Amino acid sequence: MTSLRLGVNIDHVATIRNARGAPYPDPLRAGMLAAKAGADGITAHLREDRRHISDDDIDKLARELKVPLNLEMAATEEMLAIALRHKPHAVCLVPEKREERTTEGGIDAAGQHNHLKPFVRRLSDAGIRVSMFVDPDARQIEASQSLGAPVVELCTGAYCEAVIAGDERAVAGHLDAARKSAAAAAWLGLEVHAGHGLTYDNVKPIAAIPEIRELNIGHFLVGEAIFVGLEAAIRRMRELMDEARQ
Ligand code: PXP
């Protein structure tokens, strides 16, 4: 089976920092430590309201990380200008609502085709690899391809919520959708990523989907780091991903 990369999302290191307005803990330090522990890339979401990652964080991450930076952002002119200034390895386009606690699902690549098209083109023209964060849904995957994005990231949020609720039927349904979507996306020539809500308990069935090339995981790892440290948390996640892949 192809190898599976781990992108570590460090947003919530900034959440802890911002809870007190202190200069620590530093997301760049977390990103560097994550890379040392085996992360293949670092993901950070610069939100319109700057609730966690700041402009200064993006500046430092873009300049100093030795592994690829995946910038998650909404498709707005402000974010586009920031991405074009820093030229991260990748940009993942996500939907954003001010009142949401976290990203609640995938972007409407099909319904917002005309709005998204120039963003995908301008980012791609700058040499940035564009990924569309979509629900595991054939229509959204086809729309992502027709937008010209080379990557789709399948949202695993609903699957993870079904695992927490102990709803086995829903879990099976979400996994089936993730498997079919990953196969359809790969067949269309798209690189497939997945993420949102993944933990030690729910990662394996997703990691076992052969077409998936990268998982992006953050909130759980930063929480687990409180107990075992960030490096150990990442190493354990890596082990589980590798076991699922065998
Ligand atoms: N992928 C995308 C597109 C996301 O928006 C997020 C959350 O910011 C993640 C992955 C990581 O999710 P989590 O923090 O729940 O692991």
Side-chain angles (χ1 to χ4, degrees):
M1 231 194 268
T2 51
S3 65
L4 182 60
R5 296 190 299 269
L6 171 61
V8 172
N9 182 315
I10 50 159
D11 292 349
H12 296 298
V13 176
T15 303
I16 296 170
R17 176 193 63 195
N18 296 0
R20 291 286 289 270
Y24 60 83
D26 176 14
L28 173 62
R29 184 175 167 200
M32 287 179 156
L33 199 61
K36 195 171 146 225
D40 300 287
I42 299 300
T43 294
H45 184 175
L46 184 66
R47 279 184 167 268
E48 188 193 13
D49 62 8
R50 310 299 198 267
R51 70 175 70 158
H52 36 57
I53 291 294
S54 68
D55 296 70
D56 189 46
D57 291 327
I58 294 296
D59 189 41
K60 287 195 207 146
L61 291 164
R63 269 190 292 119
E64 303 201 29
L65 279 178
K66 302 281 181 280
V67 292
L69 173 64
N70 173 32
L71 171 64
E72 286 177 6
M73 56 174 237
T76 65
E77 285 297 330
E78 182 201 15
M79 290 301 151
L80 178 64
I82 292 169
L84 294 177
R85 193 160 64 244
H86 294 295
K87 295 210 173 63
H89 166 77
V91 158
C92 181
L93 291 176
V94 299
E96 210 173 283
K97 288 194 226 122
R98 270 213 178 190
E99 57 288 1
E100 69 191 354
R101 256 194 300 185
T102 180
T103 313
E104 281 167 358
I107 200 163
D108 186 5
Q112 291 188 19
H113 191 279
N114 292 349
H115 170 68
L116 293 169
K117 184 94 188 168
F119 286 90
V120 176
R121 183 179 44 75
R122 287 163 74 189
L123 290 164
S124 302
D125 285 351
I128 299 167
R129 204 162 161 76
V130 181
S131 154
M132 307 297 298
F133 184 56
V134 292
D135 290 328
D137 173 276
R139 203 168 134 256
Q140 298 298 343
I141 289 161
E142 282 158 22
S144 300
Q145 192 220 23
S146 86
L147 281 166
V151 183
V152 283
E153 177 163 328
L154 302 178
C155 177
T156 51
Y159 156 72
C160 294
E161 274 170 26
V163 173
I164 289 172
D167 184 341
E168 284 177 25
R169 252 182 83 171
V171 169
H174 290 302
L175 277 177
D176 187 50
R179 290 185 188 115
K180 287 187 176 136
S181 299
W187 189 80
L188 289 173
L190 298 169
E191 181 172 314
V192 189
H193 300 177
H196 208 278
L198 295 172
T199 69
Y200 293 160
D201 290 336
N202 60 27
V203 74
K204 277 188 157 183
I206 296 292
I209 298 173
E211 293 87 359
I212 295 181
R213 304 298 307 273
E214 178 176 307
L215 299 182
N216 283 300
I217 310 181
H219 184 254
F220 175 80
L221 289 173
V222 172
E224 190 63 12
I226 295 169
F227 305 106
V228 302
L230 189 59
E231 286 189 74
I234 291 169
R235 291 215 164 92
R236 179 71 190 135
M237 188 60 83
R238 245 287 39 117
E239 267 170 24
L240 293 169
M241 286 163 56
D242 292 343
E243 280 170 26
R245 214 68 179 173
Q246 274 158 19

